[in-house]
């Protein structure tokens, strides 16, 4: 992506500026998942929507595992490869241009499939989720880090975010996301068991947006643009981050881990929940 006039959505923008786009919760989320899933150098991981590579590269750095990241955006893939090489993990972390709905991998290829903030970008969610499950080994872990609404957002915010990410958002709460994953597992003949779940809300970061935009503008690939293009990048960055910050006022995210079960067990009767003081 070299033409700034084609930057009509946020995913393309991220690839163009080479923003180090992270999962919600950043490195802390990666650490929690690595510990809760017993990741080590024997494990093979697939990240869906790997963008500029933050999650894939940091999973490999943290655990020694092998990772394949798939994304549909070429600039993001190129930048992810550069990041992996810069961090010295290019032999263990590969990036492939592939659509989540048609993953180019055989059944049961991965020990863990990671999808954070990507399924909301895909219109045929059931098809994508059944692909995540197809390539996951029985006994493997499906990591879902969805962003969802806790309170009802204004319609105009939803409309502007949909246009910014290039995909229509349906206003869903956490249970709505869990339902889609659970129902798709059942309809694709899989059994999923939830074994880890933690909920978070976002800080209001409006005061931090100017410094964040300045940081992006100071990247070499942006500094070398002519001033009209730089102004356009700044304008888009301010618009996207202001809008996302406004949207996240109504939202939260969760780290949800499922195990793809080998077989359906008998029903469990004495189920429990966390006791809060
Ligand atoms: C907001 S980024 C998410 C990046 C990262 N996973 C995270 O947690 O922040 C969404 C990424 O999903 C990619 N994407 C969108 N639709 C996709 C699809 N059908 N298959 C694979 N990747 C897709 C976009 O190109 C973009 O890089």
């Amino acid at each position: 992506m070299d033409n700034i006039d084609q930057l009509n959505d946020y995913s393309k923008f991220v690839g163009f500026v080479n923003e180090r786009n992270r999962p919600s919760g950043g490195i802390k989320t990666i650490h929690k998942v690595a510990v809760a899933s017993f990741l080590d150098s024997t494990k093979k991981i697939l990240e869906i929507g790997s963008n500029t590579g933050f999650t894939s590269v940091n999973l490999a750095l943290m655990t020694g595992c092998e990772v394949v990241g798939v994304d549909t955006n070429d600039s993001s893939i190129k930048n992810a490869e550069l990041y992996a090489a810069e961090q010295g993990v290019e032999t263990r972390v590969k990036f492939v241009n592939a659509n989540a709905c048609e993953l180019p991998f055989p059944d049961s290829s991965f020990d863990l499939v990671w999808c954070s903030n990507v399924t909301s970008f895909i219109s045929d969610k059931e098809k994508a989720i059944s692909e995540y499950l197809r390539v996951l080994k029985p006994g493997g872990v499906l990591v879902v880090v969805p962003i969802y609404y806790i309170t009802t957002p204004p319609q105009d915010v939803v409309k502007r975010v949909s246009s910014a990410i290039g995909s229509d958002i349906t206003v869903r709460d956490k249970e709505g996301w869990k339902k889609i994953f659970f129902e798709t597992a059942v309809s694709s003949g899989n059994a999923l068991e939830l074994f880890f779940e933690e909920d978070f809300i976002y800080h209001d970061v409006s005061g931090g947006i100017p410094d964040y935009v300045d940081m992006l503008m100071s990247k070499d690939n942006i500094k070398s643009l002519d001033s009209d293009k730089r102004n356009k990048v700044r304008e888009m960055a301010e618009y996207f981050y202001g809008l996302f910050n406004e949207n996240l006022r109504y939202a939260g995210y969760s780290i949800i881990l499922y195990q793809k079960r080998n077989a359906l067990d008998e029903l469990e009767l004495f189920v429990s929940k966390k006791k809060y003081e």
Side-chain angles (χ1 to χ4, degrees):
M1 163 67 58
D2 297 312
N3 188 348
I4 199 161
D5 298 321
Q6 288 171 20
L7 294 184
N8 48 3
D9 70 40
Y10 176 66
S11 294
K12 291 186 185 133
F13 177 81
V14 171
F16 183 84
V17 297
N18 192 14
E19 182 191 12
R20 200 58 65 212
N21 193 243
R22 297 151 208 255
S24 294
I27 202 81
K28 291 195 285 270
T29 297
I30 295 172
H31 186 257
K32 268 180 201 286
V33 172
V35 171
S37 321
F38 302 101
L39 288 185
D40 61 29
S41 60
T42 64
K43 300 293 195 298
K44 209 172 157 196
I45 293 173
L46 173 67
E47 188 196 0
I48 312 288
S50 47
N51 208 299
T52 47
F54 185 86
T55 300
S56 294
V57 167
N58 282 285
L59 274 170
L61 286 172
M62 207 177 273
T63 71
C65 63
E66 251 182 68
V67 189
V68 180
V70 295
D71 204 286
T72 45
N73 187 277
D74 276 332
S75 315
S76 295
I77 290 177
K78 206 172 90 215
N79 286 320
E81 286 169 344
L82 290 173
Y83 181 48
E86 195 185 290
Q87 298 296 319
V89 291
E90 71 278 19
T91 54
R92 287 187 284 118
V93 184
K94 301 286 176 203
F95 295 96
V96 176
N97 187 329
N99 190 329
C101 294
E102 287 167 49
L103 292 172
F105 309 108
D107 297 357
S108 305
S109 308
F110 297 95
D111 299 289
L112 181 143
V113 174
W114 178 302
C115 58
S116 56
N117 195 20
V118 57
T119 314
S120 50
F121 287 66
I122 300 172
S123 31
D124 194 346
K125 296 181 179 25
E126 286 77 10
K127 176 73 181 128
I129 295 168
S130 58
E131 280 290 273
Y132 308 163
L133 293 173
R134 180 183 65 74
V135 300
L136 182 62
K137 292 179 187 169
V141 177
L142 176 66
V143 179
V144 187
V145 188
I147 298 176
Y148 50 79
Y149 289 106
I150 296 174
T151 53
T152 307
Q155 266 310 312
D156 77 295
V157 171
V158 176
K159 220 168 133 194
R160 281 187 290 136
V161 175
S162 296
S163 155
I165 70 168
S167 176
D168 278 341
I169 293 184
T170 305
V171 176
R172 272 194 192 84
D173 61 8
K174 182 173 75 160
E175 293 312 312
W177 274 113
K178 284 166 69 178
K179 191 163 181 271
I180 295 185
F181 276 85
F182 186 75
E183 288 180 351
T184 305
V186 171
S187 66
S188 59
N190 289 289
L192 280 183
E193 187 149 332
L194 193 155
F195 69 93
F196 182 98
E197 185 173 15
E198 247 182 69
D199 305 333
F200 301 85
I201 52 171
Y202 295 91
H203 290 295
D204 176 356
V205 297
S206 38
I209 293 175
D211 282 351
Y212 190 79
V213 174
D214 284 348
M215 179 275 292
L216 290 182
M217 298 305 296
S218 72
K219 284 177 179 265
D220 289 342
N221 56 322
I222 304 301
K223 275 200 301 201
S224 62
L225 298 172
D226 68 38
S227 72
D228 278 358
K229 287 183 177 160
R230 281 204 312 277
N231 288 340
K232 172 107 187 182
V233 169
R234 180 177 284 282
E235 199 183 291
M236 290 180 85
E238 285 168 351
Y239 175 74
F240 284 137
Y241 302 121
L243 172 61
F244 295 155
N245 185 53
E246 188 182 353
N247 183 49
L248 294 178
R249 260 192 231 154
Y250 310 96
Y253 73 92
S254 295
I255 302 174
I256 303 174
L257 306 188
Y258 296 99
Q259 187 190 32
K260 177 174 163 180
R261 303 287 292 176
N262 286 311
L264 275 171
D265 290 329
E266 288 182 2
L267 265 183
E268 188 176 355
L269 179 59
F270 292 107
V271 291
S272 57
K273 63 177 185 179
K274 240 183 194 165
K275 181 179 176 219
Y276 294 98
E277 303 303 335

